[in-house]
Structures are given as structure tokens and as C-alpha cells.
């Protein structure tokens, strides 16, 4: 699982930082292994993220902003998609992962093919 993050200029800073912390907090609390990639400090990461966000998921103008989630090179979505999946107890399905045995989330997920 790959999470692209960065430190944007104000006023986006607070909103994006909060969203990034929300995703990070969930992944850490649920012991989901991930790799965080900072796009502010690494041009390669920024370029990769921008090139791999599908056209239909890009903003009308400008570049896609983090947090963006990928499972290897497969684009999963942005913070809003993550938040919606979490609200619907479907985060593991959203992330393309199998829910841990006995988890409430695992019981509520529909069966999905990889």
C-alpha cells in the first residue's frame, strides 16, 4: 500500500495535513502496512503520483493533491473515497486488502473479486 503525502503551502496545509493524519492514523491503528511517499521532498514521487492518478480522478484545473492512495501501482482514490469507504465499513475492500478474521469490518464487506 502506498500513501502519497506532502506539506503544502497555507491555507491548504491544515486541511491536507488533517486528511493525511486521518489516513495515517487509521492505517497505523489497524496495523496495515504502508509506505508513505513525500511528494514535497522528492520530485520522482510527485511525478509518479501525478502520472498515475487516472484522468477521471484529476481536478478540473491544476494537479491532483494528496493524500492519494495506491495499492502498488493501482490507484485506489483520494481522501474523500477513503473517508466514504471508512464510513461504510468498507476500508479493507477499498484498499484491496482482506479484512482480519473476526473484524466488524470484515463481516460487513461484500465479496469482491481481485
Amino acid at each position: 500500500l502506498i500513501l502519497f503525502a506532502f506539506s503544502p503551502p497555507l491555507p491548504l496545509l491544515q486541511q491536507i495535513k488533517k486528511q493525511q493524519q486521518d489516513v495515517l492514523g487509521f492505517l497505523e491503528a489497524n496495523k496495515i502496512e504502508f509506505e508513505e511517499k513525500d511528494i514535497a521532498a522528492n520530485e520522482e514521487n510527485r511525478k509518479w503520483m501525478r502520472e498515475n492518478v487516472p484522468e477521471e480522478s484529476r481536478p478540473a484545473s491544476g494537479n491532483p493533491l494528496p493524500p492519494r492512495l495506491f495499492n502498488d501501482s493501482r490507484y485506489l482514490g483520494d481522501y474523500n473515497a477513503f473517508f466514504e469507504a471508512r464510513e461504510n465499513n468498507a476500508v479493507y475492500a477499498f484498499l484491496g486488502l482482506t479484512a482480519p478474521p473476526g473484524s466488524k469490518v470484515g463481516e460487513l464487506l461484500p465479496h469482491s473479486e481481485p
Side-chain angles (χ1 to χ4, degrees):
L1 185 65
I2 302 171
L3 168 67
F4 282 88
F6 85 129
S7 298
L10 291 174
L12 289 177
L13 178 62
Q14 291 175 330
Q15 178 186 3
I16 291 174
K17 282 289 224 184
K18 181 186 177 303
Q19 291 176 349
Q20 289 175 177
Q21 289 304 314
D22 192 25
V23 174
L24 288 170
F26 179 88
L27 297 175
E28 290 169 350
N30 289 282
K31 295 179 176 55
I32 297 171
E33 289 184 35
F34 67 94
E35 178 183 357
E36 183 178 3
K37 299 209 176 203
D38 188 338
I39 66 167
N42 186 307
E43 181 64 31
E44 280 291 312
N45 289 342
R46 181 172 33 251
K47 183 179 175 188
W48 191 94
M49 184 194 81
R50 289 178 178 166
E51 290 174 352
N52 287 282
V53 171
E55 200 62 42
E56 65 273 7
S57 298
R58 295 173 184 267
S61 64
N63 290 309
L65 297 173
R68 299 289 173 146
L69 293 101
F70 293 81
N71 190 333
D72 292 322
S73 62
R74 185 171 57 93
Y75 180 70
L76 302 175
D78 61 6
Y79 176 76
N80 292 332
F82 168 81
F83 181 81
E84 184 177 321
R86 193 178 66 189
E87 289 295 303
N88 292 318
N89 292 320
V91 175
Y92 287 95
F94 169 75
L95 296 175
L97 304 173
T98 302
S103 72
K104 177 181 174 190
V105 175
E107 294 169 11
L108 298 174
L109 290 179
H111 177 72
S112 60
E113 295 298 320

